Amino acid sequence: MHYSKLKISSDATSKLRSLRQRTGITPNLLCRMAIMISLEEGPLGGAAIPDEDGSEFNAYTLTGEYGALIAALLRWVEEGHLGDEQLDDETLLDRLRGHIHRGVGTLAVRAKSPADLLRLVPMAA
């Protein structure tokens, strides 16, 4: 999955602004958390693809040194652990935006303070 820039939804952008004010965590780190939370929930299935009217992230800013790991996890969740269905890059990027959108929505509900973000991390981590 190759990309240099990724635009997220306007709704996710708005929620990220609010989360940043409440938690002090930068949007790119919040997006990383959102991706992991959403991937944990499973594939997006037939969910609508979110708009691209929000913030734009450079690939490295969004995923940092974990770009390959996030791409592999995305493929594993969306294609199935057996890899029966091969998704093209465009579809995977749509799904990545979808996971950011879904995960940010979850974070917006669960995280009212920095301490709330810590509660989302398993103790074994």
Side-chain angles (χ1 to χ4, degrees), residues 7 60 64 80:
K7 289 190 86 169
Y60 190 80

Side-chain angles (χ1 to χ4, degrees), residues 10-116:
S10 56
D11 184 48
T13 299
S14 175
K15 288 177 181 174
L16 283 170
R17 272 192 214 107
S18 176
L19 281 164
R20 183 177 186 164
Q21 290 174 342
R22 291 189 307 226
T23 65
I25 307 294
T26 60
N28 61 315
L29 295 178
L30 289 167
C31 281
R32 291 179 198 180
M33 289 179 199
I35 291 166
M36 293 298 116
I37 287 170
S38 182
L39 287 173
E40 189 174 40
E41 291 178 23
L44 293 173
I49 298 169
D51 64 67
E52 295 182 57
D53 298 334
S55 296
E56 182 175 71
F57 291 93
N58 289 322
Y60 190 80
T61 301
L62 183 62
T63 59
E65 68 253 25
Y66 304 108
L69 175 64
I70 289 172
L73 289 170
L74 179 65
R75 278 195 183 280
W76 192 81
V77 168
E78 289 297 329
E79 293 177 349
H81 66 281
L82 298 176
D84 296 337
E85 178 187 1
Q86 291 287 318
L87 300 174
D88 61 35
D89 280 358
E90 186 176 331
T91 302
L92 281 171
L93 289 174
D94 287 343
R95 302 270 174 99
L96 179 59
R97 280 198 335 271
H99 280 289
I100 292 170
H101 183 82
R102 180 168 77 176
V104 166
T106 301
L107 279 176
V109 172
R110 292 185 185 175
K112 304 300 181 199
S113 70
D116 293 335

